[in-house]
Amino acid sequence: MRLIVYVETDLLGGAEIVTGHLIEALRPDIDVVALGPHREVVEYLAGRRPGTEAIVMPPMRSTRELRAFPTHRRILRSLAPAVFQAVLTFPTACQWPLIAASNVHGIVPIGVEHLGPLPGTRRGEAARRRLTRTLAAHVAVSNALARAVERSSKLPPGSVITIPNAVPDVPVHAVDLGVRRPVFGAAGRFEAGKGIDVLVRAVAMTPDVNLVLVGKGECERALRSLVDELGVAERVHFVGWTDDARSFVAAFDVLVVPSRIEAFGLVALEAMLAARPVIASAVGGLPEVVEDSRTGLLVPPDDPEALASALGALVADGPRRARMGRQGRDRALEHFSLRAMAQAYEALYDRVADQPPT
C-alpha cells in the first residue's frame, strides 16, 4: 500500500511532529511519500522513516496559484494507487491539493483535522463543506474537534472519526534549568490562542512561583512587556525556541497549558509521559487528555484568577504533584500510545483502500 502525506504549512508545529511520529510507526508494508510546498517540512517528514520519498510541490493554496494544478495531477497520477492524507492545520489547508487528489483515478483522499473550524467567510465555509463531502474518511485528533467540524461543515453526527494523537515513550534527559524550585513551565508558540499572557498574569498573583517559557512567536514582545509591567521579571524566564522541548518539559515540576483554543494539546501528553502533572484550560481536546484532579487540574480558559488558584494548589504540595505525575504517565501509556495511534490509522487505510477507486 502507498500512503501520500501532504502537508501545506511551512512550520514544524504539533501537527507536523505527530504526523512524523505516525510515519515512523506505520507497519513496513506501507510505502510512504511526503508531499508539500515547503522543503524543510517535507524533508523532516521523510526523514522520520527510511526509504520515504520527499517531493516538493509548487504551492497551490489559492486560485492565484492554480497554474500548479496540472503538476499536482501529474505527480499524483504517477503515485497512484494510493491513499492521500491531507494534514489540515488551518481552515483552508490543502483545499486545492485535495481537489486534485479527488480527481485522480486510484487516489483515495482523507483529511485529518488538527485545528478545527475558525470564523470565516460564507463562501469559504461553503467551499470547505463541499470539499469535506468528497473525502473517503474524515479524521479529527479529539472528540471535541470532531464534533466541532461536524457542526461547522453541517456533516452528519459521527461522520468525523477520532484518532487521538500520540508521542513515543522514549528516555528524555531533563535539562538543568538553573531556576529555584518549584518550576512551572509552558512550551509552544507564543500566539494569542496559546494564552501565555493569562499564565503570566496568574504567576503575578501567585507568590513563590517561578515560570519558564519555552518557545517563540508573534506575541513574544508583548509578553516581555507584560512581564515588566507586572514586576515579575525575576520569576519569569524566557529560554527561546528549541528542537528538544521535551527535555525542558521533563525539567518542569508542573506543565501549564493555558490555551484559549486547543484541538488536542500534544505538549500535555509529553509532560504526562515524563510523569509531570498538567494544569490546563478546559477547552477543546485538553479535557480528553488531562483528567481533572487526577493527572492535573483543569481551569476555565482566559481566567487568570482561576489559573492562579490552581498554581497555588500545587506550588507547595510536592507529594500531590508526584502522585499526579505517576497517574498521568499511566494514563498516557494506556490511552495514548504511539502503537495504538498507528494501528488505528492502518485500519483506516486498509478500509478506504478497499473502496472503489475514484
Side-chain angles (χ1 to χ4, degrees), residues 278-347:
V278 180
I279 298 174
S281 301
V283 297
L286 283 169
E288 299 171 36
V289 180
V290 180
E291 190 173 357
D292 190 30
S293 299
R294 188 170 185 274
T295 69
L297 298 173
L298 293 173
V299 299
D302 222 351
D303 189 336
E305 291 80 8
L307 183 53
S309 177
L311 297 176
L314 294 186
V315 66
D317 197 340
R320 188 183 185 192
R321 295 198 305 266
R323 182 173 65 253
M324 284 181 164
R326 291 192 300 270
Q327 292 171 162
R329 177 169 169 80
D330 290 344
R331 176 172 172 76
L333 292 173
E334 180 178 359
H335 297 285
F336 302 100
S337 75
L338 188 59
R339 184 65 244 155
M341 179 181 74
Q343 288 176 338
Y345 276 101
E346 289 165 357

Side-chain angles (χ1 to χ4, degrees), residues 187 244-253 255 267 270-272 274 276:
D244 187 23
R246 290 183 74 173
S247 64
F248 282 85
V249 171
F252 299 156
D253 293 292
L255 174 78
V267 69
E270 292 173 339
M272 290 161 62
R276 299 295 182 266

Side-chain angles (χ1 to χ4, degrees), residues 16-168:
E16 293 73 34
I17 291 170
V18 77
T19 302
H21 293 323
L22 171 63
I23 290 172
E24 189 174 14
L26 291 172
R27 65 180 192 243
D29 68 299
I30 297 178
D31 175 29
V32 181
V33 182
L35 269 64
H38 298 286
R39 181 173 300 278
E40 180 182 2
V41 177
V42 171
E43 291 182 349
Y44 167 80
L45 294 176
R48 305 303 301 177
R49 182 185 180 94
T52 297
E53 185 178 3
I55 302 177
V56 180
M57 311 280 278
M60 194 169 61
R61 294 160 296 195
S62 69
T63 54
R64 294 190 301 273
E65 296 174 333
L66 283 184
R67 62 185 180 277
F69 198 88
T71 301
H72 279 243
R73 290 198 63 183
R74 175 177 55 79
I75 292 174
L76 292 174
R77 283 197 194 101
S78 72
L79 297 172
V83 175
F84 180 95
Q85 178 169 324
V87 180
L88 306 178
T89 53
F90 54 94
T92 59
C94 304
Q95 288 199 19
W96 289 107
L98 270 171
I99 290 172
S102 66
N103 284 278
V104 173
H105 180 80
I107 297 290
V108 182
I110 67 174
V112 181
E113 303 276 359
H114 288 267
L115 175 63
L118 294 174
T121 65
R122 289 185 177 180
R123 179 178 295 180
E125 291 172 352
R128 182 172 174 81
R129 286 196 294 271
R130 288 194 301 270
L131 182 62
T132 57
R133 289 182 172 89
T134 71
L135 298 174
H138 202 167
V139 181
V141 298
S142 67
N143 290 321
L145 178 56
R147 305 292 81 78
V149 170
E150 289 168 355
R151 290 191 297 269
S152 174
S153 298
K154 295 182 171 55
L155 297 171
S159 60
V160 180
I161 65 174
T162 300
I163 300 180
N165 282 336
V167 294

